[in-house]
């Protein structure tokens, strides 16, 4: 669980260009953690389809991307990657030296962002994942050429309201997409399979899915809070001739480890393809 102390909301205005699920997750995390007041969040999108979710949070909305830049100095760009270049070209005339611009779009490198914006614009990339909505996200950020330590610290302080946030070299952002962005779906598949195994053996469906999810949550907390390598915790659970080692043998026969590694590799390679 993210250990973020409740803080008095600042008067800082935070903008979102693009109002999809990830933008909503970040905004909701910031608001829930008290980092930003809802009325100080301004989101833009072409239609009301997603903006209604921001309004439900108490945020301001608009159909003008330029209005977001004119009202907010810190702006998250959470559009689809193929749409982002046109959006940046649209807002470039109103970008000033006061702005800190953060791209959440997968696969769009910092160099491309900087080319589309005025010289010396402070740009950063963030790779979040969906659990930001419950303040348990896993995020990495990378800074552009003109973003300094103060911009990194500002962004990290805000995003820690949504979970764990670490700075990495940009080359590792695509790996994070494969590991944690796509990894949410991989973990859901495993949780579903874990529960279905119990259902097969006679446990009611609702109970099986709740216990499977809690097992994942508890295991993750132990790994994070105790700083153990997963192999150590796995060894602690195994006893000679016991239930766990028999189950692990079945997983190895099914190729779980190799399939999971291949899934992260495939998702990472796709993220790299998008960046080209």
């Amino acid at each position: 669980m993210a250990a973020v102390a409740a803080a008095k909301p600042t008067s800082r205005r935070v903008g979102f260009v693009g109002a999809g699920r990830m933008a909503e997750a970040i905004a909701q995390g910031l608001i829930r953690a008290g980092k930003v007041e809802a009325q100080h969040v301004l989101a833009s999108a072409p239609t009301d389809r997603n903006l209604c979710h921001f309004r439900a949070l108490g945020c301001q909305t608009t159909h003008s991307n330029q209005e977001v830049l004119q009202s907010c100095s810190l702006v998250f760009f959470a559009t689809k990657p193929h749409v982002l270049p046109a959006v940046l070209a649209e807002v470039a005339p109103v970008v000033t030296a006061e702005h800190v611009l953060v791209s959440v779009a997968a696969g769009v490198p910092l160099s491309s962002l900087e080319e589309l914006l005025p010289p010396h614009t402070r740009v950063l990339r963030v790779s979040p994942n969906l659990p930001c909505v419950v303040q348990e996200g896993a995020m990495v950020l990378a800074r552009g050429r003109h973003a300094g330590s103060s911009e990194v610290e500002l962004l990290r302080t805000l995003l820690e309201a949504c979970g764990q946030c670490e700075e990495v070299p940009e080359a590792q952002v695509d790996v994070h997409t494969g590991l944690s962005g796509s990894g949410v779906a991989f973990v859901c598949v495993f949780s579903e399979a874990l529960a279905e195994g119990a259902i097969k053996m006679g446990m009611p469906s609702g109970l099986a899915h709740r216990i499977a999810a809690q097992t994942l949550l508890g295991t993750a907390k132990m790994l994070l809070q105790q700083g153990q390598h997963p192999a150590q915790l796995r060894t602690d659970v195994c006893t000679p001739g016991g239930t766990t080692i028999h189950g692990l043998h079945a997983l190895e026969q099914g190729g779980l480890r190799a399939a999971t590694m291949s899934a992260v590799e495939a998702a990472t390679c796709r993220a790299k393809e998008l960046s080209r």
Side-chain angles (χ1 to χ4, degrees):
M1 178 181 294
V4 179
K8 183 179 179 181
T10 68
S11 59
R12 175 181 297 278
R13 293 183 60 83
V14 177
F16 290 87
V17 174
R21 191 73 178 101
M22 192 56 68
E24 181 191 352
I26 295 173
Q28 190 166 330
L30 295 177
I31 293 165
R32 280 184 174 179
K35 293 287 186 176
V36 180
E37 291 185 355
Q39 70 242 32
H40 291 155
V41 174
L42 176 62
S44 65
T47 69
D48 286 336
R49 187 181 65 177
N50 292 325
L51 290 178
C52 62
H53 300 300
F54 275 80
R55 293 192 195 108
L57 293 173
C59 304
Q60 305 296 309
T61 63
T62 178
H63 295 304
S64 169
N65 295 331
Q66 286 197 353
E67 183 182 345
V68 175
L69 275 291
Q70 291 165 339
S71 302
C72 308
S73 59
L74 175 64
V75 179
F76 289 87
F77 287 84
T79 68
K80 298 293 185 183
H82 70 279
V83 173
L84 186 56
V87 171
L88 292 178
E90 175 193 349
V91 302
V94 295
V95 172
T96 71
E98 302 301 314
H99 282 107
V100 176
L101 306 184
V102 183
S103 171
V104 186
V108 183
L110 287 164
S111 58
S112 296
L113 300 173
E114 291 173 336
E115 286 174 6
L116 292 164
L117 291 165
H120 308 295
T121 301
R122 294 174 292 174
V123 181
L124 302 99
R125 278 184 71 186
V126 170
S127 178
N129 68 350
L130 198 53
C132 288
V133 74
V134 291
Q135 297 174 248
E136 294 292 356
M139 298 158 284
V140 296
L141 66 86
R143 67 175 84 178
R145 289 179 299 160
H146 308 295
S149 298
S150 59
E151 288 77 33
V152 169
E153 188 57 31
L154 165 66
L155 189 56
R156 185 159 46 197
T157 299
L158 285 174
L159 290 180
E160 281 176 351
C162 304
Q164 182 186 60
C165 183
E166 299 189 30
E167 183 181 9
V168 298
E170 187 180 21
Q172 293 179 17
V173 172
D174 289 336
V175 182
H176 177 269
T177 299
L179 169 63
S180 189
S182 301
V184 172
F186 306 157
V187 172
C188 285
V189 170
F190 180 71
S191 181
E192 185 179 18
L194 202 61
E196 287 177 344
I199 294 167
K200 179 181 179 181
M201 301 312 296
M203 182 176 283
S205 177
L207 178 61
H209 283 286
R210 289 195 300 274
I211 291 178
Q214 183 63 36
T215 300
L216 295 178
L217 175 63
T219 303
K221 282 188 173 182
M222 289 184 70
L223 291 173
L224 288 171
Q225 293 178 4
Q226 298 179 8
Q228 286 183 304
H229 190 281
Q232 180 60 55
L233 182 54
R234 171 177 54 79
T235 300
D236 291 345
V237 176
C238 287
T239 55
T243 61
T244 306
I245 192 62
H246 278 74
L248 285 171
H249 187 201
L251 290 177
E252 291 294 349
Q253 287 178 318
L256 174 70
R257 190 188 301 264
T260 304
M261 292 173 66
S262 295
V264 175
E265 180 182 15
T268 301
C269 289
R270 179 55 180 159
K272 291 181 183 296
E273 287 175 4
L274 290 173
S275 33
R276 290 197 292 270

